[in-house]
């Protein structure tokens, strides 16, 4: 491979803050909001043009799973209050993506958190092994932003990886990762009479055959399942049916190929819906997500590690920073459509919530940095549970509390006491 030696140059310091958050998805928003609400000066960085990640520009239809997070329930309540009609004042888990984009901005403004959109994190600044800031690129060029504490809410753990934090890709035995999906919406649906299978196990018999079997037979591999979700707006359904396997979400080339594959699948999926799914006879594509839905990439080595056994046993930790987290083992088939061959999702029956300890958010050997969202420390199977958005809000809020306490007290994040974080989250 050819190399190019970049000339050394001085770059401007665009800002100095207590807490710098990289990534504006549910976890990043929660971290920035919580840190700012607790007195820290905060700057939130996002490479896209909106806050919210998968909950907004990723076109997720609804919040799945749960966590005992005051901030998560505030988002639900305030989202409902913004939507007229039947949902007003009701804590529905359905998402109006455009309203949620604005709500996130309003909430960040309320706590005086600064925001920098259209900004890509390109490197980390370190001092004696501790992260002390980030190098960013945007329309203004290359800039440095200095911080007392940095929160990695990039999903893929880009900041932690560049800082040298130890990680592994994908599942433990072969490094393979869950497939990617590009979400999209169709309009013109007769929702009252529509078939809406919301899980891989949802079998719908029609005059032309069972829908899951038809999809597996007729849609281009690795697509081949039917997942359709009602929308908060009339006549619209969110479609979770594109599928790309064998792709690495930390590789821009793979992300590009995945986007091309998914867009080609979308046309055939819409034709399939019109032909075979009741209520979709006159449906049409109205919008698609502006970035790929990546389920799994890096799993970091933290001071603690959440395992599938912790979840199955609904473990309670005295040093918790997230309480009553719950979902199933949502492992999509790594080699095709439908469920993973382990059957972990299909046979998951544990209904009790589990805790996430503070050590899962602290990289084992890197100071000045806090993990949040789906890049916290956990096994492949545990990750398939805690990666969902309500739990990411929970870990994001915890990360923001840890970062604010560390920045204001001069402590390293690893020295912050869980009891102090709990006091913030319960306050």
């Amino acid at each position: 491979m050819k190399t190019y030696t970049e000339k050394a140059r001085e770059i401007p310091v665009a800002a100095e803050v207590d807490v710098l958050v990289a990534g504006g998805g549910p976890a990043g928003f929660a971290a920035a909001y919580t840190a700012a609400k607790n007195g820290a000066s905060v700057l939130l960085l996002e490479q896209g043009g909106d806050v919210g990640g998968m909950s907004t520009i990723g076109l997720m239809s609804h919040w799945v799973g749960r966590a005992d997070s005051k901030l998560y329930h505030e988002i639900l309540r305030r989202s409902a209050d913004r939507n007229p009609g039947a949902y007003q004042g009701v804590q529905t888990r359905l998402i109006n993506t455009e309203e949620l984009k604005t709500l996130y901005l309003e909430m960040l403004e309320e706590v005086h958190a600064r925001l920098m959109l259209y900004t890509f994190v390109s490197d980390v600044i370190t001092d004696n092994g501790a992260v002390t800031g980030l190098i960013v690129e945007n329309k203004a060029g290359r800039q440095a932003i200095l911080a007392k504490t940095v929160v990695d809410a990039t999903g893929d753990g880009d900041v932690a990886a560049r800082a040298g934090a130890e990680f592994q890709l994908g599942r433990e035995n072969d490094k393979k990762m869950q497939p990617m999906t590009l979400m999209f919406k169709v309009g013109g649906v007769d929702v009252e009479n529509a078939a809406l299978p919301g899980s891989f196990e949802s079998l719908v018999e029609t005059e032309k055959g069972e829908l899951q079997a038809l999809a597996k037979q007729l849609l281009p591999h690795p697509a081949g399942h039917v997942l359709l979700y009602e929308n908060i707006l009339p006549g619209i359904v969110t479609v979770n049916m594109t599928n790309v396997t064998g792709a690495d979400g930390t590789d821009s080339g793979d992300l590009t190929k995945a986007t091309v594959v998914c867009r080609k699948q979308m046309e055939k999926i819409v034709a399939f819906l019109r032909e075979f799914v009741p209520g979709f006879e006159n449906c049409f594509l109205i919008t698609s997500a502006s970035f790929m839905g990546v389920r799994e990439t890096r799993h970091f080595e933290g001071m603690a590690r959440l395992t599938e056994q912790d979840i199955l046993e609904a473990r309670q930790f005295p040093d918790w920073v997230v309480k009553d987290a719950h979902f199933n083992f949502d492992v999509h088939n790594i080699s095709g459509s439908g469920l993973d061959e382990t059957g972990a999702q299909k046979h998951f029956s544990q209904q009790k919530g589990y805790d996430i300890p503070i050590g899962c958010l602290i990289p084992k050997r890197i100071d000045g940095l806090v993990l949040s969202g789906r890049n916290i420390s956990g096994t492949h199977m545990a990750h398939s549970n805690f990666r969902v958005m309500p739990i990411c809000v929970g870990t994001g809020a915890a990360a923001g509390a840890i970062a604010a306490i560390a920045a204001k007290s001069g402590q390293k994040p690893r020295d912050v006491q869980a009891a102090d974080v709990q006091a913030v989250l319960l306050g």
Side-chain angles (χ1 to χ4, degrees):
M1 178 185 291
K2 286 187 176 181
T3 61
Y4 171 76
T5 302
E6 188 176 16
K7 294 179 181 178
R9 54 175 171 158
E10 291 187 349
I11 60 174
V13 175
E16 295 186 51
V17 294
D18 292 332
V19 176
L20 179 59
V21 181
F29 161 79
Y33 179 86
T34 304
K37 189 175 181 181
N38 285 277
S41 60
V42 176
L43 177 58
L44 174 61
L45 306 174
E46 168 54 42
Q47 65 184 11
D50 287 292
V51 177
M54 283 305 298
S55 69
T56 55
I57 53 181
L59 292 193
M60 276 296 293
S61 55
H62 61 295
W63 300 86
V64 296
R66 72 169 191 257
D68 185 13
S69 163
K70 291 181 68 175
L71 179 54
Y72 167 57
H73 288 289
E74 181 177 355
I75 293 169
L76 290 183
R77 177 183 59 78
R78 294 179 63 164
S79 292
D81 289 346
R82 294 183 64 88
N83 286 282
Y87 295 112
Q88 189 167 10
V90 178
Q91 285 199 11
T92 176
R93 296 195 298 169
L94 295 178
I95 295 173
N96 182 328
T97 54
E98 296 306 311
E99 291 283 2
L100 187 55
K101 289 175 184 177
T102 305
L103 175 60
Y104 284 141
L105 296 179
E106 289 179 354
M107 292 179 70
L108 290 171
E109 287 182 346
E110 288 170 5
V111 294
H112 308 292
R114 294 170 58 189
L115 175 63
M116 189 179 287
L117 300 173
Y118 308 104
T119 299
F120 191 85
V121 175
S122 57
D123 208 349
V124 299
I125 302 170
T126 59
D127 184 11
N128 292 324
V131 176
T132 57
L134 299 174
I135 303 296
V136 301
E137 301 270 359
N138 56 26
K139 292 285 188 179
R142 191 172 176 86
Q143 304 167 80
I145 302 174
L146 304 180
K148 295 176 181 176
T149 312
V150 174
V151 175
D152 187 337
T154 61
D156 300 311
D158 294 334
V159 172
R162 284 177 172 81
E166 297 179 37
F167 67 88
Q168 68 170 39
L169 279 173
R171 61 186 179 187
E172 292 79 7
N173 61 330
D174 58 10
K175 299 184 179 180
K176 290 183 178 181
M177 292 166 272
Q178 290 203 54
M180 303 180 192
T181 293
L182 192 68
M183 302 286 287
F184 66 95
K185 295 181 182 180
V186 293
V189 181
D190 178 5
V191 177
E192 288 187 6
N193 298 302
L196 296 172
S199 71
F200 294 120
E201 303 94 329
S202 299
L203 304 181
V204 180
E205 294 290 345
T206 72
E207 292 181 357
K208 296 182 179 181
E210 195 283 311
L211 290 182
Q212 301 293 358
L214 287 169
K216 196 169 188 66
Q217 175 188 348
L218 299 173
L219 291 177
H221 182 82
H225 58 256
V226 183
L227 292 175
L228 302 167
Y229 302 106
E230 64 176 317
N231 196 273
I232 202 167
L233 301 174
I236 296 174
V237 168
T238 301
V239 183
N240 182 359
M241 290 172 60
T242 66
N243 203 44
V244 177
T245 57
D248 181 354
T250 68
D251 184 293
S252 61
D254 278 9
L255 287 169
T256 301
K257 292 177 185 176
T259 299
V260 173
V261 168
C262 285
R263 296 211 67 83
K264 289 180 178 178
Q265 290 176 357
M266 283 166 53
E267 183 177 355
K268 295 178 180 179
I269 290 169
V270 172
F272 174 89
L273 295 176
R274 289 173 180 161
E275 177 69 21
F276 295 102
V277 183
F280 287 77
E281 293 84 358
N282 299 308
C283 77
F284 50 87
L285 175 66
I286 56 172
T287 188
S288 59
S290 54
F291 73 86
M292 186 60 57
V294 178
R295 292 183 174 87
E296 178 181 24
T297 51
R298 300 182 180 103
H299 303 302
F300 287 89
E301 185 176 350
M303 298 295 292
R305 188 184 194 210
L306 198 73
T307 71
E308 55 267 39
Q309 201 60 37
D310 293 330
I311 294 171
L312 288 171
E313 294 176 3
R315 285 197 63 187
Q316 311 295 302
F317 295 92
D319 58 345
W320 63 267
V321 290
V322 177
K323 291 287 289 182
D324 195 32
H326 184 270
F327 195 48
N328 61 27
F329 292 139
D330 190 17
V331 187
H332 292 228
N333 189 347
I334 286 177
S335 59
S337 63
L339 288 174
D340 180 68
E341 64 273 11
T342 63
Q345 182 187 60
K346 183 177 181 179
H347 300 294
F348 187 91
S349 60
Q350 203 281 99
Q351 294 301 312
K352 296 179 181 179
Y354 62 89
D355 294 350
I356 299 177
I358 190 171
C360 292
L361 280 63
I362 308 298
K364 196 167 187 179
R365 295 183 176 86
I366 303 294
D367 286 321
L369 181 65
V370 186
L371 304 172
S372 68
R374 65 177 170 87
N375 62 27
I376 67 170
S377 180
T379 63
H380 160 77
M381 193 62 72
H383 164 274
S384 73
N385 187 296
F386 65 65
R387 68 178 175 83
V388 294
M389 296 190 304
I391 301 175
C392 285
V393 171
T395 57
I402 295 167
I405 293 168
K408 291 191 293 181
S409 66
Q411 297 178 80
K412 297 176 181 178
R414 71 181 63 249
D415 295 329
V416 172
Q417 297 300 302
D420 294 332
V421 179
Q422 293 165 10
V424 169
L425 298 175
L426 295 172

